[in-house]
Amino acid sequence: MKLAKSLQEIQPSYIREILSAACAPGVISLAGGLPDAKTFPLALMAKSLIDLPNQPQLFQYGNTAGYTPLLEHFSNYYQLPASHSSIICTGSQQGLDLIARSFINPGDSIVMEAPSYLGAIQVFGLAQANIESISQRADGPDLEELESCFATKDITLFYAVPDFHNPTGVCWSIDVRKKVAQLCQQYNVAFIEDVPYRELRFKGEFLPLVSSFCPENSLVLRSFSKIATPGIRLGLVTGRSDWIAPLNKVKQAADLHSSIPMQAVLLNLLQHDGFEQHLEVLRGLYSERYKALLDNIALKLPASCEVNEVNGGMFIWLSLPDCDVNALAQTALEHGVAVVPSSVFYQERENVKPALRLNFTNANIDELSEAIDRLAKVIEIHCK
Amino acid sequence: MKLAKSLQEIQPSYIREILSAACAPGVISLAGGLPDAKTFPLALMAKSLIDLPNQPQLFQYGNTAGYTPLLEHFSNYYQLPASHSSIICTGSQQGLDLIARSFINPGDSIVMEAPSYLGAIQVFGLAQANIESISQRADGPDLEELESCFATKDITLFYAVPDFHNPTGVCWSIDVRKKVAQLCQQYNVAFIEDVPYRELRFKGEFLPLVSSFCPENSLVLRSFSKIATPGIRLGLVTGRSDWIAPLNKVKQAADLHSSIPMQAVLLNLLQHDGFEQHLEVLRGLYSERYKALLDNIALKLPASCEVNEVNGGMFIWLSLPDCDVNALAQTALEHGVAVVPSSVFYQERENVKPALRLNFTNANIDELSEAIDRLAKVIEIHCK
């Protein structure tokens, strides 16, 4: 069979492809957005996991929108208005794919920041959307560029990660949040707010969702991969019911529904007395590792390597002097450190500035130190 | 946001939509393709479920193609040649969706039998395929119609359920299998063989896969919903590696990968000493229920209601005298019995013959008897 046209332009995910290489013995991975498996709240999940064999009803077919008690929990927890609803997805990645399949025709224009989440580039690429890129500043998207784009083009949606952006770690300021919401309303652009890292804030003040300023004009994507565990593959989309209904229709064809035993276990975890404490521990640990990574970079890398400070999330963005960043990442892997080159986070390849996305949540402090030792040598080779 | 064009023609799944109504207290459901939850092999799965809290590595992100030990098991168990590979999906429903997204452009023609599996009609509808329907006979598709269709049209693939077809329960004869494989090779049509009910044969001789006669021209979709449990949402696609690779690329965007804890539990179940015995018990139970359903129909329904005999699977197809089959199904629900009207299994509505799909695996013998009592009254009202 010949490949469908929609697939012919899609590159396989660099990050998914190097996951196995990054996990090879001796390699320290700063590549994936992997939480540390040692932090998984399995002790809090144990009771419900162990009880699964006694609950045959959880192993039957279920509703497409999700396990009813979990949907009710979300409705209460996120205080959804009566006109809103939710759908539980096989990871928030599926939520994004369902949105694209529900609302994007080939050739429709959508907006993302550049750089942006690779999984979103893939989804909108498969949907054959025309992706408009907006530059990212230290406090969010460039608002002039954004308004000019909204004003001059027919834009269906703006996809963004306002809390500790993947790959740069940027967190949008409150003013930018309000302004983006206002622009989305003014120009009738749907705001797709992806917040997988929102609970991983270890510094600074909690900021309201962009969507809270335009609730009828947005959908919120939540992930349980970072605060629970990734392997269970559960995410959530919330928003106005007439925008959730089509996702339900596509999900019927896509996978009928997501794993019910895993949804029951997630519900139990989210309602566990120890869950808040688990998040505190996670934030404390990731904060320490972040500081260790920054210290190592300051100590060991040349001053021409610049890093932005972040208040949470899983990544920092290390700007490099002029070099072939793909070749550098390849050499880094050969030297036992896996990193992701900036090139993979751009839709328009010509605008790529040499940089690396470094993850600080998976490796421990000793490994982070060793990783930067190795990276220092690689940078010396490539950035002359 | 406006609905994408691909979605505007798609009806929500009747079966998914009535699942909650069918589960209401007092309703006996012969509607869904639900196994009996009492048969779930949870005792065989208990050890690995209880051990999950001790296996943090199963809760981390994993490879898109699936949990490696499970992939290795399938490779051995199904004796895949070196040029073939597999991908584990979030239910075989996802496998089918990945195939359509990988190989179908809007307007491309595909072939299905009529009637056909509703979930497949949805998938190919979303892909905006042009669906060519081939009549089904007692031993498989009408071969003359099929060859004429292959010879005169540019067909990408033929999707079929040769073992205990959904909705009719028809099992293709060996001659039909060989002939379809030969035609697919001759006209370069990919054969997509969906075999969710294959292991549920309770009578007659085991027949080879159609794909075994054209292995380089086919993909096989397997489901673990009927032989393990549906709630874990796991299926499998096997076939030539260059046809599996694109599925992998789409799955990266669709959900990254399927639940790893569930894959580990499935592996353990499939390798359990007691698994073959579980299948025997299942076949025995379903065979008894099938016979009870047939006996009740013969005893209680008018002779104008005709039923085909089946050798396995989950469904029979009850042909009715002329009536409004949708209205009849609605009345049946009001009388406490959920059934699926023939109309939902056809792409071309004009060819619909009045019939009901009756499931015999979910209700017990007493319930089946009561269900046919209720149905008899409803048929009396509607088929005059």
Side-chain angles (χ1 to χ4, degrees):
Chain A
M1 287 184 283
K2 270 202 301 191
L3 276 191
K5 288 192 192 80
S6 56
L7 206 58
Q8 287 170 6
E9 301 288 304
I10 305 294
Q11 296 304 314
S13 159
Y14 179 90
I15 294 167
R16 299 255 88 217
E17 300 287 318
I18 69 157
L19 256 183
S20 8
C23 293
V27 174
I28 301 171
S29 178
L30 313 188
L34 272 62
D36 186 341
K38 292 191 194 72
T39 68
F40 290 160
L42 295 181
L44 307 183
M45 295 159 79
K47 192 164 164 289
S48 60
L49 283 167
I50 288 169
D51 195 38
L52 285 177
N54 307 317
Q55 310 238 35
Q57 76 285 2
L58 297 177
F59 289 82
Q60 187 55 279
Y61 281 112
N63 294 322
T64 299
Y67 177 53
T68 308
L70 184 59
L71 286 168
E72 284 167 2
H73 167 81
F74 289 137
S75 182
N76 293 328
Y77 188 80
Y78 295 118
Q79 300 185 289
L80 300 184
S83 62
H84 283 206
S85 53
S86 8
I87 180 170
I88 293 158
C89 302
T90 309
S92 63
Q93 180 71 38
Q94 186 189 41
L96 185 56
D97 192 41
L98 296 178
I99 292 170
R101 295 178 78 181
S102 295
F103 300 112
I104 305 291
N105 294 311
D108 284 356
S109 291
I110 67 113
V111 169
M112 291 205 282
E113 291 175 283
S116 193
Y117 169 52
L118 177 58
I121 298 176
Q122 285 188 304
V123 161
F124 292 117
L126 262 182
Q128 296 175 275
N130 168 41
I131 302 178
E132 299 286 340
S133 296
I134 302 295
S135 313
Q136 193 183 52
R137 307 284 171 225
D139 62 351
D142 183 306
L143 295 172
E144 281 185 26
E145 254 184 64
L146 189 69
E147 178 154 19
S148 150
C149 175
F150 282 6
T152 57
K153 290 169 179 157
D154 184 14
I155 303 294
T156 303
L157 62 84
F158 176 18
Y159 167 83
V161 183
D163 290 299
F164 321 117
H165 179 266
N166 176 0
T168 62
V170 161
C171 185
W172 294 12
S173 70
I174 182 74
D175 290 343
V176 166
R177 287 168 193 250
K178 287 179 180 166
K179 182 67 183 171
V180 168
Q182 180 252 304
L183 290 174
C184 284
Q185 287 175 308
Q186 181 180 342
Y187 293 99
N188 194 27
V189 171
F191 187 68
I192 310 301
E193 184 161 25
D194 194 3
V195 294
Y197 315 110
R198 184 165 171 80
E199 289 83 3
L200 300 183
R201 175 184 283 280
F202 44 69
K203 195 179 160 195
E205 175 190 22
F206 175 90
L207 294 172
L209 289 173
V210 179
S211 306
S212 68
F213 303 111
C214 55
E216 298 310 307
N217 231 50
S218 52
L219 289 171
V220 182
L221 283 160
R222 297 182 191 265
S223 166
F224 302 97
S225 294
K226 322 304 178 188
I227 60 176
T229 83
I232 60 171
R233 307 303 309 123
L234 291 173
L236 178 73
V237 190
T238 59
R240 16 189 301 195
S241 299
D242 61 334
W243 286 4
I244 296 293
L247 308 190
N248 219 302
K249 220 157 126 182
V250 180
K251 188 168 165 69
Q252 288 181 357
D255 64 4
L256 301 185
H257 62 79
S258 301
S259 164
I260 310 279
M262 296 290 91
Q263 293 185 58
V265 168
L266 177 64
L267 173 62
N268 204 278
L269 172 67
L270 296 175
Q271 293 184 329
H272 196 292
D273 286 345
F275 185 64
E276 266 310 314
Q277 174 65 14
H278 156 69
L279 291 183
E280 278 304 319
V281 170
L282 208 58
R283 287 188 275 254
L285 180 73
Y286 290 171
S287 172
E288 280 173 25
R289 290 182 178 180
Y290 163 66
K291 284 176 199 146
L293 179 60
L294 274 200
D295 290 348
N296 272 284
I297 287 172
L299 197 68
K300 299 170 183 173
L301 298 191
S304 55
C305 295
E306 285 175 27
V307 70
N308 60 328
E309 296 202 10
V310 301
N311 289 340
M314 302 181 100
F315 307 109
I316 58 167
W317 189 246
L318 181 73
S319 297
L320 300 177
D322 196 34
C323 67
D324 178 343
V325 75
N326 293 326
L328 186 149
Q330 185 55 44
T331 309
L333 198 55
E334 288 156 15
H335 281 69
V337 55
V339 294
V340 185
S342 47
S343 55
V344 308
F345 301 105
Y346 287 86
Q347 169 70 4
E348 298 165 21
R349 294 298 162 101
E350 63 277 22
N351 292 334
V352 178
K353 287 179 197 144
L356 299 176
R357 186 190 77 173
L358 304 183
N359 166 272
F360 54 78
T361 63
N362 190 245
N364 66 33
I365 289 182
D366 289 344
E367 289 166 334
L368 288 168
S369 168
E370 174 63 25
I372 299 303
D373 285 337
R374 295 179 189 176
L375 196 57
K377 286 183 201 138
V378 176
I379 287 174
E380 204 184 319
I381 297 169
H382 279 272
C383 309
K384 286 186 180 158
Chain B
M1 287 184 282
K2 272 202 300 193
L3 277 191
K5 288 191 192 82
S6 57
L7 208 55
Q8 287 169 6
E9 302 287 305
I10 304 294
Q11 296 305 314
S13 158
Y14 178 91
I15 295 166
R16 300 254 88 217
E17 302 286 320
I18 68 155
L19 255 185
S20 6
C23 293
V27 173
I28 300 170
S29 178
L30 313 188
L34 272 62
D36 185 341
K38 292 192 194 72
T39 67
F40 291 161
L42 295 180
L44 307 184
M45 295 159 80
K47 191 165 166 288
S48 60
L49 283 167
I50 289 170
D51 195 39
L52 284 176
N54 307 317
Q55 309 239 36
Q57 76 286 0
L58 297 178
F59 288 82
Q60 188 55 281
Y61 283 112
N63 294 323
T64 298
Y67 177 53
T68 308
L70 183 58
L71 286 168
E72 283 166 358
H73 167 81
F74 289 137
S75 182
N76 293 328
Y77 188 80
Y78 296 118
Q79 300 185 289
L80 300 184
S83 61
H84 284 208
S85 53
S86 12
I87 180 169
I88 294 157
C89 302
T90 310
S92 63
Q93 181 70 38
Q94 186 189 43
L96 185 55
D97 192 42
L98 296 178
I99 291 170
R101 296 178 77 181
S102 295
F103 300 112
I104 306 290
N105 295 310
D108 283 358
S109 291
I110 67 112
V111 168
M112 291 205 282
E113 290 174 283
S116 194
Y117 169 52
L118 177 57
I121 297 176
Q122 285 187 303
V123 161
F124 292 117
L126 263 180
Q128 297 175 274
N130 168 40
I131 303 179
E132 300 286 342
S133 295
I134 301 295
S135 313
Q136 193 183 52
R137 307 284 171 225
D139 62 351
D142 183 306
L143 294 172
E144 280 185 27
E145 256 186 62
L146 188 70
E147 177 153 18
S148 151
C149 175
F150 282 6
T152 56
K153 290 168 179 157
D154 185 13
I155 303 296
T156 303
L157 61 85
F158 177 17
Y159 166 83
V161 183
D163 290 298
F164 319 118
H165 178 266
N166 176 359
T168 62
V170 161
C171 185
W172 295 11
S173 70
I174 182 74
D175 290 343
V176 167
R177 288 168 193 249
K178 286 180 181 166
K179 183 66 184 173
V180 168
Q182 180 253 306
L183 289 174
C184 284
Q185 286 176 307
Q186 181 181 343
Y187 292 99
N188 194 26
V189 172
F191 187 68
I192 310 301
E193 183 162 26
D194 194 2
V195 293
Y197 315 108
R198 185 164 170 80
E199 289 83 2
L200 300 183
R201 175 185 283 280
F202 44 69
K203 194 179 159 196
E205 174 192 23
F206 174 90
L207 294 172
L209 289 172
V210 179
S211 305
S212 69
F213 301 112
C214 57
E216 297 311 306
N217 230 50
S218 53
L219 289 170
V220 182
L221 283 159
R222 295 180 192 268
S223 166
F224 302 98
S225 294
K226 321 304 179 190
I227 58 174
T229 85
I232 60 172
R233 308 301 311 123
L234 290 174
L236 177 73
V237 190
T238 58
R240 27 193 289 199
S241 299
D242 62 334
W243 286 4
I244 296 293
L247 308 189
N248 220 303
K249 221 157 128 182
V250 179
K251 188 168 165 68
Q252 288 180 355
D255 65 2
L256 301 185
H257 62 79
S258 302
S259 165
I260 310 280
M262 296 291 90
Q263 292 184 58
V265 169
L266 177 63
L267 173 62
N268 204 277
L269 172 66
L270 296 175
Q271 293 183 329
H272 197 292
D273 285 345
F275 185 65
E276 266 309 313
Q277 173 64 15
H278 156 69
L279 291 183
E280 279 304 318
V281 169
L282 208 58
R283 287 186 275 253
L285 180 73
Y286 291 171
S287 172
E288 279 173 26
R289 291 182 177 180
Y290 161 68
K291 284 176 200 147
L293 179 60
L294 274 200
D295 290 348
N296 273 283
I297 288 173
L299 198 66
K300 300 170 183 172
L301 298 190
S304 55
C305 295
E306 285 175 27
V307 69
N308 60 330
E309 297 202 11
V310 301
N311 289 340
M314 303 181 101
F315 307 110
I316 58 165
W317 189 247
L318 181 72
S319 298
L320 300 177
D322 197 33
C323 67
D324 178 343
V325 75
N326 294 327
L328 186 149
Q330 184 55 45
T331 309
L333 198 54
E334 288 155 17
H335 281 68
V337 55
V339 295
V340 186
S342 47
S343 55
V344 309
F345 301 106
Y346 286 86
Q347 168 72 2
E348 298 164 22
R349 294 296 162 103
E350 65 276 21
N351 292 334
V352 177
K353 287 179 196 140
L356 299 175
R357 187 190 75 174
L358 303 182
N359 166 272
F360 54 79
T361 63
N362 189 244
N364 64 35
I365 289 181
D366 289 344
E367 290 165 336
L368 287 169
S369 169
E370 174 62 26
I372 299 304
D373 285 337
R374 296 178 188 176
L375 197 58
K377 286 182 202 137
V378 176
I379 288 174
E380 203 183 319
I381 298 169
H382 280 271
C383 307
K384 284 180 181 162

